[in-house]
Amino acid sequence: IYGYSDKYDEGTVIKQSITKGKIIDKERTKVVTLTIAKKNEITVIDFSNMKASEITNWATDNKLKLEFVEEYDDTIEKGKVIRSSKVKGDSVEIGETIEIVLSKGQLKMIKFTDVDSFRKWANENNITYDIKYEFSNTVANGKLISSSHKENDIIKNTDDVELVISQGGKTTVPDFIGKTKDEATKLCNDSYLKCEF
């Protein structure tokens, strides 16, 4: 592979995976990785099993910039790499920025007080959701009737969160024809309706 070095000439071996003098079992096939100095181009290594600190050290050694982003992922352990803008074998130039997406671990359903706070939380965490509204005589207007995920349930990468929110109880619209404004207002109040004149 290729790496940056300001100590060695381009084309010179600057690092080897198995150190000089180490005894190797000749019955097994061993791969020795040699890092060759290249002044302006570096070969990206495999980040998948590396810690953020290890990736940072590698990037620093090779004069590269990193941008770390975190996302929830139900399949990848917290702190591990989910993906990167450059993958093993890609060539990058000195000073180039590589984006590394790290896992924040599993995302769990929160307890929320209103739909707006849920929407804000879901949008911040890239959760897809569907909100439906139904009339209910037992659940107050704007309150949660049901949810596909209970508090602390794990939300998987492929999950859509479905909420059913109350529109309040059903009511029958009265007959306003021929009524005075005061009579119509009383009918509105008795029927739990908001009326505009």
Side-chain angles (χ1 to χ4, degrees), residues 50-190:
M50 294 174 70
K51 296 177 182 175
S53 59
E54 294 171 331
I55 298 171
T56 301
N57 290 339
W58 175 83
T60 302
D61 289 345
N62 289 288
K63 308 288 190 251
L64 295 170
K65 297 174 186 175
L66 294 175
E67 183 180 330
F68 286 104
V69 179
E70 290 186 314
E71 288 181 7
Y72 285 102
D73 194 293
D74 69 295
T75 60
I76 297 177
E77 187 182 336
K78 184 177 180 179
K80 298 286 187 181
V81 175
I82 299 173
R83 63 184 180 277
S84 57
S85 60
K86 298 291 182 180
V87 296
K88 181 181 178 181
D90 285 352
S91 293
V92 291
E93 293 185 359
I94 292 169
E96 197 168 331
T97 300
I98 300 175
E99 183 183 274
I100 308 289
V101 181
L102 298 175
S103 174
K104 290 167 77 174
Q106 296 177 329
L107 177 64
K108 294 183 179 180
M109 184 67 171
I110 60 163
K111 182 177 183 178
F112 58 93
T113 54
D114 57 77
V115 179
D116 289 337
S117 62
F118 170 80
R119 278 198 184 100
K120 182 181 178 186
W121 173 78
N123 292 334
E124 286 173 353
N125 292 290
N126 298 317
I127 298 166
T128 54
Y129 59 90
D130 183 31
I131 299 176
K132 295 178 181 175
Y133 292 87
E134 290 181 3
F135 288 107
S136 173
N137 291 318
T138 56
V139 179
N141 185 28
K143 299 295 182 182
L144 180 69
I145 296 174
S146 65
S147 171
S148 59
H149 295 71
K150 295 176 183 174
E151 185 182 355
N152 289 323
D153 279 355
I154 293 168
I155 300 174
K156 296 183 178 178
N157 299 348
T158 55
D159 284 355
D160 288 339
V161 177
E162 295 181 1
L163 304 181
V164 179
I165 305 298
S166 174
Q167 285 184 301
K170 293 183 180 179
T171 189
T172 304
V173 178
D175 183 8
F176 296 110
I177 305 299
K179 302 291 189 285
T180 65
K181 185 176 179 183
D182 289 340
E183 291 170 335
T185 300
K186 186 176 183 315
L187 286 172
C188 287
N189 293 335
D190 290 346

